Amino acid sequence: MSEASDAADGQRLFVGGRWVVPDDGYYEVVDPATEETVGRAPEASRDQVLAACAAAREAFEGWSRTPAGERAAVLGRAADLIRGQLGAYADLARAETGATTATARAMQVGVAVARFRRYATAEPAEWAIPPQINEAGPMGKAGVMGALAVRQPVGVVGCITSYNNPWANPAGKVAPALAMGNTVVVKPAPQDPLSVYRMAEALEAAGAPPGVVNVVSGRSTAVGEAAVASPDVDMVSFTGSTAVGQRIAEVCGRDMKRQLMELGGKGAAVVFEDADVGSAVAGIGTTFSFYSGQICTAPTRVLVQRGLYDRLVDGLAAYAGRLRVGDPAAPETVVGPVITAEHRARVESYVELGRKEGATVVAGGERPPLERGFYVPPTVLADCTNDMRVAREEIFGPVVSVVPFDDEEEGIALANDSDYGLIDYVWSGDVARAFRVARRLRAGGVGINTVGRNMEAPFGGFKKSGVGRDVGSYALHAYSEVQAIVWPG
């Protein structure tokens, strides 16, 4: 029996380098495809969360003074250990999240491995930006101080992660935070925490000292609240809804804690008449297949120039109708379930709301005839206007709303008429226009004729989609403070 589990075969917490029996018992983690129990997750008490934060604080001094190369070696060994268990870990991720096998292997566990390796080879972590020496200033050179800008770790980072990707999302926080010399307390989403404990096991086996990595979980909101409010936590990195992010930001603001917020999205796909219809349909169609629409970067708000409107709607409807919905373990499945029965009901309520608002359901809209599992079919809502709730609110499911526009100015105005601004998209055969439009979109990222991402490009949002940027070297910046050292010239 693993040290990480107790005699009742429940997952233990990971606090201060020890696997700890939870004070408040266990709860069942449910497979959204079969509705069967995947495992029993621990429910931490407030005191145990605070103990985890205190352990991270105690470990910080030693870890931050550990040479960057040694910290990087721990991350590299963890990447190798996770890669060695890719099949088993992908099976667990599939069971916890309902992601298809291909997605669990490549985009969940596979991306986590890549992220640990990426930050194991930082150049080096302490110098996330090149040293900057300023030898003069506006007063001239005589008697001017020399100045060196260096990056220092923030301290203890509370990492609160989302349910849609229990491998890549935590790895994207933990790896750069550790590389920069921070220690972490990870609070995974209650729906799928077991994968995060496997990540902690890999880091422990890779040589992370006690207290450098801590994991606490629970269904109670008190678990996350305790981590955010702990005086031992210097920074909170959160991925999740805007509403929860706003509450976290309020708490952080009282103590001036650093924040990195990746929040909601309602990505606009602006499709011009000269676009390649097949490319646009395939790109927008990732909303249906990628995590069953449970992703903040999805192009769920489709804005189409009128001359192409009917063709694009027909193309999306046909595309959605061809996608296989069902058991995510089956190789032919493209669309798995959403995370819970409650979330399925929420997504279905938006489809019904769209009907009441005047939208036309041209694909999907009815629950698939499957005996078990929380399935929502790929759904296309046509005849929408930008003021409808289905076009403004984040549904977080395999649903797209299609809105027509007349000219470039209207398309840009509609795209920017949103509370969100995470990632937008432009499809056009005129590359110059596509770049011109992209520069005017109020979003943290813009894809031109693609939904692909460059994993070294900064990631984050405008408006209510978040605060800060991460990914690539930007993540090293995010988990550090800039310090100026000056000396007589």
Side-chain angles (χ1 to χ4, degrees), residues 144-292:
V144 172
M145 293 284 188
L148 178 66
V150 299
R151 290 202 176 267
Q152 300 281 15
V154 178
V156 176
V157 180
C159 302
I160 304 178
T161 65
S162 58
Y163 69 72
N164 60 342
N165 197 324
W167 280 96
N169 185 262
K173 300 178 186 297
V174 171
L178 295 184
M180 277 306 306
N182 302 284
T183 55
V184 298
V185 177
V186 187
K187 191 277 177 186
Q191 297 92 337
D192 50 11
L194 301 178
S195 290
V196 182
Y197 285 105
R198 301 292 79 73
M199 186 182 297
E201 285 181 334
L203 284 161
E204 179 189 29
V212 169
V213 178
N214 305 268
V215 184
V216 291
S217 59
R219 292 176 297 181
S220 171
T221 57
V223 176
E225 290 170 352
V228 171
S230 168
D232 287 313
V233 170
D234 301 293
M235 173 182 174
V236 175
S237 177
F238 171 70
T239 300
S241 72
T242 296
V244 175
Q246 288 171 322
R247 295 198 294 272
I248 291 173
E250 290 174 1
V251 176
C252 289
R254 290 197 287 269
D255 292 323
M256 300 304 294
K257 295 183 180 183
R258 300 295 179 262
Q259 304 166 43
L260 179 60
M261 298 281 182
E262 182 199 334
L263 306 178
K266 190 72 176 178
V270 184
V271 185
F272 288 99
E273 290 176 341
D274 61 355
D276 182 313
V277 176
S279 173
V281 166
I284 296 163
T286 60
T287 299
F288 308 136
S289 56
F290 202 52
Y291 302 128
S292 300

Side-chain angles (χ1 to χ4, degrees), residues 372-434:
R372 300 176 70 84
F374 313 129
Y375 292 95
V376 176
T379 299
V380 180
L381 302 177
D383 304 320
C384 295
T385 58
N386 210 46
D387 59 350
M388 292 180 177
R389 286 179 60 190
V390 291
R392 302 198 67 82
E393 299 177 12
E394 186 176 39
I395 298 173
F396 220 58
V399 180
V400 298
S401 304
V402 191
V403 179
F405 69 88
D406 289 313
D407 56 27
E408 182 176 311
E409 288 299 318
E410 184 185 13
I412 293 169
L414 289 174
N416 288 334
D417 181 19
S418 172
D419 291 335
Y420 299 106
L422 187 55
I423 296 187
D424 285 344
Y425 305 88
V426 180
W427 269 274
S428 174
D430 183 339
V431 175
R433 173 166 67 177

